[in-house]
Amino acid sequence: MTRRKLPALPSALRTPPEWLVPGLVVVVLAGLLWFSFGTGPGGPQGSIGLGSQSTGSGDQAGEHADTDDLDRGETDEADATDAGDDADGGGKAGRGTEPPAAEPTSATTSPALERSVRRFEQAQRRLAEQVNQQLERRTAPFSFRVATFNLLGDSHTGPGGNKPGFPDASPRMDMAISALRRSAVDVVGFQEMEASQFSMFSARAGEYSLYPGLAMGDKSVRFNIAWRSSMWQLVDAHTLSIPYAGGSRIEMPVVLLESTSTGRQAWFANFHNPADTPRLGNNARWRSEAASIEISHLTALHQEQGIPVIATGDYNEREEIFCRFTAGGVFSAAAGGSSAGGCAPPSGMQVDWIFGSTGVEFDGYAVTGVGQASDHNMVSSGATLLPGG
């Protein structure tokens, strides 16, 4: 750093007279104080020292020196030299000098800056309100209607099928879609939806989206889950490998759906456990194994993520599957019944069930006949995702 060289003092002033020493000491100390405070974070405005205020210590020292030395006339040059020293310290002192410009402080903030601060604060408040509204929507109750529906596969009513008294799949699909619409079903788990029926449903019920579609082949297409696209959007999906008749494994769907209006989420799973028939044999073992896989996976899904879970399906069991699903205290049945202090199934049980985890409340349970659309009734219920569930 380059320092400014001060002019040499006249020889008469190099050793100041004894009477001048107190005044010089005051001036030097005032200059040091001004340098310490005047160049700090607050700047010259409001600091103590020379040139900052008309009542500052430097002016007082100057007035004192003028009073003492007025008759002597020997201090003028010393005062000028001291003023030069003060200029090096950050500002000129003495009479006739302009005080340095004040830096902006809270007291001198410009109107434009104040307006900017107000706009920023208002934007923060609006953002906080939007976040709160989103949180409220994501935790508010959300209601819809869910169903489980075994469509009776196309192969059962086609040539060589075991249901010759039923119409072909095409008119039956029209009847099935009409039943869904009359009941205002928003989510449905299908069983026995063969590839031809999937194509019919996709072409005729465009208000619904489906998973897994045909992506996993002719076996998994039978267990499609459909949801009303205006109400739900797909967030995540996977499948479970479930033993079917004779222990053969089939991938069955589990989807995470999110409400398009509120952001509330729920997992939906759809299963078809094997029946006992002359053609398929006794499948009690495989139904038991399938139920263990299903209940274990859905319970863990709910407990780990805290998201409500709803399971639909043709379980080909009544009391047995009810007691197994509800035994852990996580799931309840839309059909009613209780597991408190023992297993008390509901009356009039179907083999088609809707189960919901904690955080789901059911109402308006209905078993709806669909005529010759299928050999199964359509089972549906109102469902509400509870606050915070």
Side-chain angles (χ1 to χ4, degrees):
M1 180 175 63
T2 302
R3 296 182 178 274
R4 179 183 176 184
K5 186 175 180 180
L6 298 175
L9 293 172
S11 59
L13 296 178
R14 289 176 186 170
T15 304
E18 185 176 346
W19 51 265
L20 187 58
V21 171
L24 290 176
V25 170
V26 170
V27 171
V28 171
L29 289 176
L32 291 174
L33 286 172
W34 184 92
F35 184 81
S36 299
F37 290 94
T39 60
Q45 178 69 22
S47 61
I48 302 174
L50 294 176
S52 60
Q53 296 179 15
S54 61
T55 58
S57 299
D59 288 340
Q60 291 175 0
E63 290 168 6
H64 178 72
D66 289 344
T67 302
D68 289 347
D69 302 330
L70 184 61
D71 296 331
R72 298 173 180 81
E74 297 178 353
T75 60
D76 293 343
E77 187 175 353
D79 288 343
T81 303
D82 291 336
D85 291 341
D86 292 337
D88 288 345
K92 290 188 177 182
R95 300 177 184 83
T97 58
E98 293 292 335
E103 295 182 2
T105 65
S106 59
T108 60
T109 302
S110 69
L113 180 57
E114 291 179 351
R115 287 194 298 271
S116 297
V117 170
R118 285 196 298 271
R119 285 196 296 268
F120 177 72
E121 292 173 344
Q122 290 169 355
Q124 281 187 315
R125 287 193 292 269
R126 286 195 298 269
L127 178 60
E129 291 171 0
Q130 291 171 0
V131 170
N132 288 335
Q133 290 171 359
Q134 290 178 358
L135 290 174
E136 289 174 1
R137 286 197 300 270
R138 287 179 177 271
T139 57
F142 180 66
S143 298
F144 53 94
R145 194 156 191 87
V146 60
T148 184
F149 195 176
N150 185 317
L151 290 172
L152 182 60
D154 187 2
S155 59
H156 289 284
T157 59
N162 61 351
K163 300 289 184 180
F166 283 78
D168 290 340
S170 181
R172 290 194 294 107
M173 178 55 70
D174 289 336
M175 289 185 276
I177 293 171
S178 294
L180 290 169
R181 288 172 174 165
R182 284 195 304 271
S183 296
V185 171
D186 301 304
V187 183
V188 54
F190 290 119
Q191 303 86 43
E192 295 191 25
M193 174 183 264
E194 297 182 14
S196 58
Q197 292 166 298
F198 169 80
S199 299
M200 295 172 194
F201 183 83
S202 298
R204 303 175 192 180
E207 67 267 36
Y208 292 98
S209 299
L210 299 99
Y211 179 85
L214 289 167
M216 305 192 73
D218 290 343
K219 290 186 177 180
S220 293
V221 71
R222 291 183 279 177
F223 316 112
N224 262 276
I225 299 175
W227 59 91
R228 194 178 298 277
S229 306
S230 61
M231 178 176 283
W232 299 97
Q233 60 186 359
L234 180 66
V235 176
D236 196 5
H238 60 272
T239 59
L240 282 181
S241 180
I242 302 297
Y244 200 64
S248 62
R249 293 282 181 142
I250 303 178
E251 297 296 321
M252 301 189 189
V254 183
V255 300
L256 178 62
L257 301 182
E258 180 178 278
S259 162
T260 56
S261 61
T262 69
R264 289 299 305 266
Q265 294 183 341
W267 285 101
F268 294 86
N270 182 50
F271 307 113
H272 190 179
N273 295 346
D276 296 332
T277 67
R279 184 172 66 88
L280 298 177
N282 187 323
N283 288 291
R285 169 192 171 185
W286 304 116
R287 284 196 303 276
S288 177
E289 184 175 329
S292 294
I293 295 170
E294 295 154 4
I295 296 168
S296 175
H297 178 77
L298 298 184
T299 299
L301 197 62
H302 174 59
Q303 292 178 339
E304 290 171 6
Q305 299 188 5
I307 298 175
V309 177
I310 294 175
T312 58
D314 176 358
Y315 293 92
N316 277 306
E317 287 182 343
R318 291 178 171 81
E319 182 175 349
E320 298 91 342
I321 192 65
F322 171 84
C323 292
R324 292 195 65 177
F325 244 105
T326 61
V330 174
F331 288 92
S332 61
S338 172
S339 290
C343 184
S347 59
M349 291 179 286
Q350 310 288 305
V351 296
D352 307 289
W353 291 89
I354 301 171
F355 296 104
S357 69
T358 51
V360 179
E361 185 176 81
F362 293 114
D363 65 279
Y365 177 79
V367 178
T368 305
V370 292
Q372 287 192 305
S374 175
D375 58 346
H376 284 249
N377 296 314
M378 183 179 73
V379 174
S380 65
S381 177
T384 298
L385 306 182
L386 300 176

